[in-house]
Amino acid sequence: MERYKKRYIKNAVVIPVAVAIVVSALFFVLIYTNSSDFPSVKERLVLASYDSSDISEAEEIEVHNNSVSRSKIDDFQSNMTFGNIRINQTDYPLIYDANEVNAIGKFNMDAGNTFIGDVGTAYVSCYKSDSKALKAVAIGDEIEIETNYGSFVYEVIKTTSADKSTLSHIGDGVGRALVLYTDASQGAGIGSAYFCAVCQFADGTQITQ
């Protein structure tokens, strides 16, 4: 009787507990080794605060003689997609002033700044979890952009780092500049520095007054 009792304890208690410990350990190992592929901590925490169903799509604007009037492209709404950006043969949707959830998997153009293709510096960002192609760019690479108001080609002229105080000046002196930026930290979480690719307008639709 005692032998069967010991066998029961081994099969019903010891083995399941041991298996649970091993499975739990494997789970945390996988999370750690693949942490860079997951959205950051901040991205996960805000999932309950926003709904991605409010994304809208910008209407196509007719381009004449490869030019478009600036007045036709200044009515973008927050969380509105307006085209695509190609970086190292990888395409991403472009979205304007997206909230934390709607920006996942996309490149987000900052509100209140220069539009892509216009005079000045346009700022477009992505989450660290979507930054693999961006962080692989090199000087001389071309960035191809299709928007609802025209097509643009930019050339990467510099990759650098910046913080919140220097980011707004990172494209100074370039002319028609495009700054693509993302979190520069490694692993999970959010850092205080940005990886930046500074690009110069090479070809595309002309934006006029």
Side-chain angles (χ1 to χ4, degrees), residues 109-130:
M109 187 168 77
D110 296 351
N113 286 295
T114 301
F115 282 91
I116 292 171
D118 205 353
V119 175
T121 303
Y123 287 86
V124 181
S125 63
C126 71
Y127 281 134
K128 179 168 60 177
S129 54
D130 303 312

Side-chain angles (χ1 to χ4, degrees), residues 58-64 66-69 72-74 76 82-83 94 109 114-118 122 145-152 154 205-207:
E59 295 183 0
E60 290 293 321
I61 297 174
E62 191 172 353
V63 177
H64 296 282
N66 199 38
S67 67
V68 64
S69 172
K72 293 184 177 181
I73 58 174
D74 62 0
F76 280 3
F82 62 97
L94 282 168
M109 187 168 77
T114 301
F115 282 91
I116 292 171
D118 205 353
I145 299 175
E146 293 286 341
T147 73
N148 69 313
Y149 58 88
S151 302
F152 307 91
Y154 282 85
T205 303
Q206 299 296 314
I207 298 177

Side-chain angles (χ1 to χ4, degrees), residues 94-105:
L94 282 168
I95 192 167
Y96 178 77
D97 189 30
N99 65 34
E100 284 88 340
V101 170
N102 291 343
I104 295 174

Side-chain angles (χ1 to χ4, degrees), residues 18 87 115 142 197:
I87 304 173
F115 282 91
E142 288 189 343

Side-chain angles (χ1 to χ4, degrees), residues 13 15 18 20-21 36 38 67 78 81 99 113 128 135 142-143 156 164 170 187:
V13 179
I15 294 177
I21 292 173
S36 62
F38 291 97
S67 67
S78 295
T81 58
N99 65 34
N113 286 295
K128 179 168 60 177
K135 289 182 176 179
E142 288 189 343
I143 307 297
V156 179
K164 289 183 179 180
I170 208 74

Side-chain angles (χ1 to χ4, degrees), residues 4-161:
Y4 290 113
K5 184 177 181 181
K6 290 181 179 179
R7 181 183 298 173
Y8 173 81
I9 293 173
K10 179 181 179 181
N11 294 337
V13 179
V14 177
I15 294 177
V17 169
V19 170
I21 292 173
V22 172
V23 170
S24 298
L26 288 173
F27 173 79
F28 286 108
V29 168
L30 288 172
I31 289 294
Y32 178 79
T33 57
N34 294 280
S35 60
S36 62
D37 296 328
F38 291 97
S40 68
V41 173
K42 179 181 178 182
E43 293 167 33
R44 291 197 298 273
L45 290 177
V46 299
L47 288 177
S49 302
Y50 294 96
D51 185 355
S52 63
S53 64
D54 61 352
I55 293 177
S56 60
E57 184 175 351
E59 295 183 0
E60 290 293 321
I61 297 174
E62 191 172 353
V63 177
H64 296 282
N65 298 322
N66 199 38
S67 67
V68 64
S69 172
R70 183 178 294 107
S71 63
K72 293 184 177 181
I73 58 174
D74 62 0
D75 60 350
F76 280 3
Q77 306 295 319
S78 295
N79 301 301
M80 175 179 283
T81 58
F82 62 97
N84 292 278
I85 182 170
R86 171 167 286 190
I87 304 173
N88 282 327
Q89 305 304 312
T90 303
D91 292 324
Y92 302 88
L94 282 168
I95 192 167
Y96 178 77
D97 189 30
N99 65 34
E100 284 88 340
V101 170
N102 291 343
I104 295 174
K106 305 176 184 69
F107 272 66
N108 184 23
M109 187 168 77
D110 296 351
N113 286 295
T114 301
F115 282 91
I116 292 171
D118 205 353
V119 175
T121 303
Y123 287 86
V124 181
S125 63
C126 71
Y127 281 134
K128 179 168 60 177
S129 54
D130 303 312
S131 67
K132 183 177 181 180
L134 175 56
K135 289 182 176 179
V137 299
I139 294 174
D141 285 353
E142 288 189 343
I143 307 297
E144 300 175 7
I145 299 175
E146 293 286 341
T147 73
N148 69 313
Y149 58 88
S151 302
F152 307 91
V153 178
Y154 282 85
E155 181 181 347
V156 179
I157 61 172
K158 178 173 67 173
T159 59
T160 186
S161 61

